[in-house]
């Protein structure tokens, strides 16, 4: 952004605007009502890519996401630094279209690399207690599944739980993330973060008999 203007304030505003889409994609479900489409859009947000890291998991898909963004932005910076050489003068010939095509091609490569590692992800649980690791038996079971008959897991989770259940909630969500990542197209995970008396809460009770329970806790 600073290469596009000599004004620091304008450069800051432009920089914020350039980063805004990557940040606000995590709230796609506010605008997009189709759950599947909203989930696909949210996957490209910075928050979604940081999710593995915050659980202590190093994934190639998340690493490649940030590496590709860095590569594209560094290339754009190099192009903008030398624009006086290719933009053309009174007798020069502008190569603006040429560099736009090259940049778009690089963006396409970056998206392709991210999609490749997303579908062929390599993951390493670096937590001391292996909190995000699946057992060998579970891995073997998932590998033996047939893509023609995918397994669907629907999880109904409360947004807030008593302190005694916080770790259990985190462990559950972590296991679901690992099942989804390892399963690929073989396992579909649909997490529902539900409030009491909401439409999804009513559906959970009618469909699966999941009811809210009052528990005693210390505060």
């Amino acid at each position: 952004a600073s290469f596009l203007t000599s004004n620091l304030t304008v450069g800051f505003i432009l920089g914020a605007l350039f980063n805004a889409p990557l940040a606000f994609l995590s709230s796609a479900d506010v605008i997009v009502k189709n759950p599947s489409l909203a989930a696909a859009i949210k996957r490209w947000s910075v928050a979604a890519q940081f999710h593995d890291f915050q659980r202590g998991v190093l994934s190639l898909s998340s690493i490649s996401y940030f590496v590709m963004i860095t590569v594209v932005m560094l290339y754009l910076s190099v192009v903008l630094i030398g624009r006086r050489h290719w933009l053309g003068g009174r007798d020069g010939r502008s190569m603006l279209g040429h560099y736009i095509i090259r940049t778009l091609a690089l963006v396409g490569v970056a998206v392709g690399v991210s999609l490749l590692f997303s579908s062929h992800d390599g993951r390493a649980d670096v937590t001391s207690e292996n909190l995000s690791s699946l057992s060998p038996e579970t891995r073997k079971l998932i590998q033996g599944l047939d893509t023609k008959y995918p397994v669907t897991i629907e999880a109904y989770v409360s947004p807030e739980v008593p302190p005694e259940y916080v770790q259990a909630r985190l462990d559950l969500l972590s296991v679901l993330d690992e099942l989804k990542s390892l399963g690929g197209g073989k396992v579909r995970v649909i997490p529902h973060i539900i409030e009491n008396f909401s439409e999804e809460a009513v559906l959970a009770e009618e469909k699966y008999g999941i009811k809210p329970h009052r528990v005693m806790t210390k505060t």
Side-chain angles (χ1 to χ4, degrees):
S2 62
F3 293 133
L4 297 176
T5 178
S6 58
N7 188 299
L8 292 178
T9 303
V10 176
F12 172 80
I13 295 173
L14 288 176
L17 290 175
F18 292 158
N19 284 279
L22 297 178
F24 289 107
L25 283 178
S26 59
S27 302
D29 51 353
V30 176
I31 301 175
V32 181
K33 300 306 179 183
N34 186 316
S36 300
L37 180 58
I41 295 175
K42 290 171 68 175
R43 177 194 166 280
W44 292 95
S45 68
V46 172
Q49 299 298 329
F50 265 119
H51 185 63
D52 283 339
F53 298 144
Q54 75 183 27
R55 295 189 297 111
V57 176
L58 298 180
S59 63
L60 282 177
S61 59
S62 296
I63 293 174
S64 66
Y65 172 87
F66 291 106
V67 169
M68 289 298 101
I69 288 178
T70 303
V71 169
V72 172
M73 292 301 106
L74 285 176
Y75 177 75
L76 274 175
S77 296
V78 171
V79 169
L80 291 174
I81 288 175
R83 62 179 173 177
R84 64 188 180 90
H85 298 293
W86 54 259
L87 197 56
R90 182 171 54 185
D91 301 322
R93 181 181 177 184
S94 174
M95 298 181 65
L96 177 62
H98 172 78
Y99 279 101
I100 289 177
I101 293 175
R102 288 178 62 173
T103 302
L104 292 177
L106 182 59
V107 171
V109 170
V111 172
V113 170
S114 296
L115 289 174
L116 174 64
F117 283 113
S118 178
S119 57
H120 300 81
D121 198 6
R123 307 171 68 79
D125 182 359
V126 295
T127 58
S128 59
E129 298 178 356
N130 294 326
L131 298 176
S132 299
S133 296
L134 299 177
S135 67
E137 292 79 8
T138 302
R139 292 177 174 272
K140 184 177 180 180
L141 178 63
I142 293 176
Q143 290 173 358
L145 294 176
D146 191 343
T147 54
K148 295 181 180 179
Y149 308 100
V151 175
T152 300
I153 301 174
E154 285 195 79
Y156 293 86
V157 186
S158 299
E160 296 182 6
V161 295
E164 293 87 347
Y165 295 90
V166 170
Q167 189 59 51
R169 180 182 183 275
L170 292 176
D171 291 343
L172 171 62
L173 293 176
S174 180
V175 169
L176 291 175
D177 286 336
E178 290 304 306
L179 287 172
K180 181 179 179 180
S181 299
L182 181 63
K186 300 177 182 179
V187 179
R188 294 177 62 244
V189 177
I190 308 175
H192 301 277
I193 308 300
I194 60 173
E195 298 275 2
N196 285 341
F197 311 111
S198 65
E199 183 178 345
E200 286 192 322
V202 174
L203 179 62
E205 183 173 352
E206 294 177 349
K207 191 174 181 180
Y208 300 109
I210 300 174
K211 300 179 181 180
H213 293 276
R214 187 179 299 276
V215 298
M216 300 295 295
T217 181
K218 294 181 180 180
T219 58

